Amino acid sequence: GQQVMQIPQYQHVQEGEDFTTYCNSSTTLSNIQWYKQRPGGHPVFLIQLVKSGEVKKQKRLTFQFGEAKKNSSLHITATQTTDVGTYFCAGHGNKLVFGAGTILRVKS
Amino acid sequence: GAVVSQHPSWVICKSGTSVKIECRSLDFQATTMFWYRQFPKQSLMLMATSNEGSKATYEQGVEKDKFLINHASLTLSTLTVTSAHPEDSSFYICSARRLAGFTGELFFGEGSRLTVL
């Protein structure tokens, strides 16, 4: 069945350092979504990528969708303490499947 | 923006009892809602898709008689954990899309943390 792998599982960075999480799908996706879940909170939608090779930016966050529409990445430039949380990708093939998530910790 | 509300946010119950969790779409109609289960530091596992006016669609391995889902109106879906046991303790989250059939963003409820003693 459709699977979405996400790495790394955890990432501890010093405030100001960059952070990247990667997702890889076993099947071609119609779109990929990214969500952020703060500790103790619920997932909140960040963005959706639809087009092959698409790149979108939200301030310090850069989202990419691979040419083959099977992988994606989220890059945060100059992390801040407010970036802490778990970042999930969710790939839409036949259904929406969530990756395992990457837990980001930021040391100030 | 669209808001999905979930109640209760946490519940503690004795083993063998049943617990009902409500998921409401506050400012839009949701013909479809989704129920997830999340263990600590793990991903969201889709349990079932709740369809207004019809039976829910359960994912493989999810017991439909254990996790009863009712979607009686366009703004309310309920999940009842029947005869709960400690292994049912988890974080349960619902979500909905604003537009039926649209593969767009999901709006999540605040989640319900269930602890079964």
Side-chain angles (χ1 to χ4, degrees):
Chain A
Q2 181 186 343
Q3 291 184 329
V4 176
M5 284 72 69
Q6 188 173 356
I7 58 169
Q9 188 176 8
Y10 301 97
Q11 186 85 59
H12 288 200
V13 299
Q14 191 71 39
E15 188 173 22
E17 291 182 341
D18 293 354
F19 159 77
T20 306
T21 173
Y22 301 89
C23 271
N24 195 50
S25 170
S26 58
T27 59
T28 302
L29 302 170
S30 59
N31 67 61
I32 193 158
Q33 300 171 6
W34 286 91
Y35 293 81
K36 177 183 179 181
Q37 185 176 22
R38 293 181 184 275
H42 61 280
V44 175
F45 176 82
L46 294 177
I47 208 160
Q48 176 173 283
L49 304 171
V50 179
K51 299 177 182 177
S52 169
E54 189 170 15
V55 177
K56 286 188 176 180
K57 291 190 176 185
Q58 290 179 351
K59 297 182 180 178
R60 294 179 293 104
L61 278 61
T62 302
F63 303 85
Q64 289 188 305
F65 200 10
E67 294 288 343
K69 301 183 73 173
K70 295 181 72 174
N71 56 70
S72 182
S73 64
L74 158 59
H75 180 82
I76 302 178
T77 304
T79 55
Q80 299 175 359
T81 54
T82 53
D83 294 326
V84 297
T86 303
Y87 292 84
F88 292 98
C89 62
H92 213 295
N94 292 325
K95 57 183 179 181
L96 194 64
V97 176
F98 280 81
T102 296
I103 299 172
L104 173 63
R105 297 278 187 262
V106 179
K107 294 175 288 187
S108 59
Chain B
V3 177
V4 175
S5 178
Q6 202 171 327
H7 177 81
S9 55
W10 58 270
V11 57
I12 301 172
C13 70
K14 293 182 178 179
S15 187
T17 60
S18 294
V19 174
K20 180 185 284 187
I21 301 170
E22 293 186 347
C23 180
R24 293 180 185 274
S25 56
L26 298 184
D27 58 353
F28 65 100
Q29 294 182 333
T31 56
T32 302
M33 291 184 174
F34 305 92
W35 286 96
Y36 294 85
R37 184 173 182 178
Q38 186 178 35
F39 293 102
K41 298 183 179 180
Q42 293 191 26
S43 188
L44 297 153
M45 300 297 296
L46 179 64
M47 298 175 65
T49 301
S50 172
N51 304 298
E52 188 270 335
S54 65
K55 292 183 179 180
T57 305
Y58 289 82
E59 295 298 303
Q60 191 173 10
V62 178
E63 300 176 59
K64 60 181 181 181
D65 295 330
K66 173 75 172 177
F67 300 99
L68 300 178
I69 291 173
N70 184 271
H71 197 147
S73 77
L74 287 171
T75 59
L76 173 64
S77 175
T78 61
L79 167 67
T80 301
V81 183
T82 62
S83 187
H85 289 95
E87 58 266 30
D88 298 325
S89 299
S90 190
F91 192 52
Y92 294 88
I93 315 178
C94 67
S95 70
R97 288 198 177 95
R98 198 155 51 119
L99 300 176
F102 178 55
T103 58
E105 67 178 286
L106 289 173
F107 295 93
F108 283 87
E110 303 93 335
S112 299
R113 189 166 301 282
L114 171 63
T115 301
V116 184
L117 303 176

